[in-house]
Amino acid sequence: MEQYTKKKIIYQILPLLSVSALILAWIIFSYSTGGIIFPAPISVFQRVLKTFETPIANMTIIGHTLISLKRVLIGLLVSCVSGISIGILVGSNKYLKATIGSFLEIFRPIPPIAWIPIMIMWFGIGELPKVLLIVLGSFFPVMLNTASGILLVNKINLDVGQIFGGNKLSILKEIILPTALPSIFSGIRTSVSCGWTVVLAAEMMGAQQGLGLLVMKGWGINDMALVLGAVIIIAIIGALFSYLLKKAERLLMPWNR
């Protein structure tokens, strides 16, 4: 028991040590380069605070963060609902896998960023093309992982469910989805990172608000502190998403710990 407690404490300390080592390396590299091409952490923090006194595009960095977060959440909601639904259909039906699955395979290799000019020409530079780009970028990971998870279901378990009188809905709910949930959550985690990548690229191509705009503004005026500030906020939000998904995964799948 004592050995288990020690290991648990070590596992809790290691993330703090790794983050501290990263910050220390950042400080050393910053001062070795004069803080011009890579500002120190305190300079980045001060630059972020400055956006409250002098907002960029009539909005503080919190406002820009919330705009990007809203776009990502809407896109992820659409991609997860559609991706899980289509993944279940493709993974459980050979005919749909041969038709819908083959059709989607044509579009899967296309990078989401390649759709940016097409989206701008079709829909302009409003909110719709940004959300659609996020959907395109985050749909395939969750769809493919869901389909793969469905294929992992043992046929014997399906046969047992049918023998005991289970209908298609009950078998899906009691056998298929619990087996596929780890793969589904893996796809969702990948989709989250893809969603942030796409929204940043989309906002850098003509948005008037969002973290991508801050990156472009900072790049345009050689303000690396602003660029790093926006990037760090994205990293923090991504880590928070990952933490919440892990908590949800443990809550929904206690057997998979």
Side-chain angles (χ1 to χ4, degrees):
M1 186 66 180
E2 184 180 351
Q3 186 178 4
Y4 172 76
T5 304
K6 288 181 179 179
K7 285 185 177 181
K8 189 175 181 181
I9 294 173
I10 291 173
Y11 290 146
Q12 291 175 343
I13 293 175
L14 284 176
L16 296 176
L17 290 176
S18 62
V19 172
S20 300
L22 177 63
I23 294 175
L24 180 62
W26 179 2
I27 294 172
I28 293 172
F29 182 74
S30 172
Y31 281 103
S32 65
T33 58
I36 299 175
I37 62 173
F38 210 83
I42 186 64
S43 300
V44 174
F45 181 71
Q46 290 173 345
R47 183 65 184 91
V48 170
L49 289 180
K50 190 177 179 181
T51 63
F52 291 93
E53 302 173 3
T54 310
I56 299 173
N58 300 319
M59 189 175 290
T60 66
I61 199 165
I62 292 179
H64 289 290
T65 301
L66 292 176
I67 292 292
S68 295
L69 185 59
K70 182 187 75 172
R71 290 167 178 161
V72 171
L73 288 177
I74 293 173
L76 286 175
L77 178 62
V78 174
S79 62
C80 287
V81 171
S82 59
I84 292 173
S85 302
I86 295 175
I88 292 173
L89 294 175
V90 170
S92 58
N93 191 295
K94 292 182 179 179
Y95 297 103
L96 292 177
K97 182 180 180 180
T99 53
I100 297 176
S102 299
F103 175 77
L104 293 174
E105 280 295 323
I106 298 174
F107 293 95
R108 185 177 65 87
I110 302 175
I113 297 176
W115 291 98
I116 290 178
I118 298 174
M119 289 295 175
I120 292 176
M121 287 189 293
W122 285 355
F123 304 107
I125 56 173
E127 290 297 308
L128 180 60
K130 296 178 181 59
V131 173
L132 287 177
L133 282 169
I134 296 169
V135 173
L136 285 171
S138 56
F139 168 79
F140 287 103
V142 68
M143 189 276 289
L144 292 172
N145 276 271
T146 301
S148 298
I150 299 296
L151 294 173
L152 291 175
V153 179
N154 196 321
K155 191 176 184 303
I156 295 177
N157 295 337
L158 299 178
D159 294 337
V160 171
Q162 291 175 350
I163 291 172
F164 281 93
N167 55 34
K168 289 185 178 180
L169 184 60
S170 63
I171 290 175
L172 174 66
K173 185 173 67 173
E174 302 294 336
I175 299 176
I176 296 177
L177 284 181
T179 304
L181 268 180
S183 296
I184 293 173
F185 268 93
S186 177
I188 293 174
R189 284 196 295 268
T190 306
S191 294
V192 169
S193 61
C194 291
W196 275 109
T197 302
V198 174
V199 75
L200 191 63
E203 289 175 348
M204 291 170 65
M205 294 296 292
Q208 301 301 315
Q209 298 167 328
L211 293 173
L213 172 69
L214 298 187
V215 173
M216 287 300 294
K217 290 282 187 182
W219 181 34
I221 61 176
N222 200 25
D223 188 349
M224 283 302 299
L226 179 60
V227 174
L228 286 176
V231 170
I232 289 170
I233 289 174
I234 292 172
I236 292 172
I237 295 175
L240 181 60
F241 268 117
S242 179
Y243 174 78
L244 293 175
L245 285 171
K246 285 181 180 179
K247 288 292 184 182
E249 190 173 357
R250 289 182 178 182
L251 182 64
L252 293 173
M253 295 180 293
W255 66 87
N256 199 46
R257 294 182 181 178

